[in-house]
Amino acid sequence: MAAPETQAEVGTMSDPGTNLETEKRRHRPALTGIAVVLGFVAIITAVYSVMVVERAPGPDGAEEQVEVGPGGDPEE
C-alpha cells in the first residue's frame, strides 16, 4: 500500500496551501497581547484582593472574646 499523496487521501480538512510558520508569525502579536492583558488582569485582581482584605474590619468585640473548649467554663 502506497503512502497517501493528496489531502483527500490523508483525511484532513486543512488547506493544503497553509504555511504553518507564516501563520505562527502572523498570530504571534495577537497571542502576545492576549497574554499581556491576562497577566495585567491577574495582577490587578491580586492587588484588589489584598486591598479588600486589609480594609476589612476585625471581628466585633475581639478583646472580649474568649475561646472555650468543650466542657470548659468561660469564667475561668
Side-chain angles (χ1 to χ4, degrees), residues 18-33:
T18 302
N19 184 342
L20 293 179
E21 293 306 316
T22 302
E23 294 299 317
K24 285 180 186 178
R25 191 177 70 243
R26 287 181 59 220
H27 288 90
R28 188 172 293 131
L31 294 174
T32 301

Side-chain angles (χ1 to χ4, degrees):
M1 177 173 211
E5 296 292 326
T6 64
Q7 277 310 100
E9 291 177 30
V10 173
T12 62
M13 294 183 63
S14 61
D15 181 18
T18 302
N19 184 342
L20 293 179
E21 293 306 316
T22 302
E23 294 299 317
K24 285 180 186 178
R25 191 177 70 243
R26 287 181 59 220
H27 288 90
R28 188 172 293 131
L31 294 174
T32 301
I34 291 169
V36 167
V37 168
L38 288 175
F40 180 73
V41 168
I43 290 170
I44 293 299
T45 301
V47 169
Y48 179 73
S49 298
V50 168
M51 288 174 47
V52 167
V53 169
E54 284 181 349
R55 288 183 174 195
D60 293 333
E63 292 79 23
E64 298 91 29
Q65 242 177 350
V66 178
E67 290 290 325
V68 179
D73 185 13
E75 299 301 323
E76 292 178 355

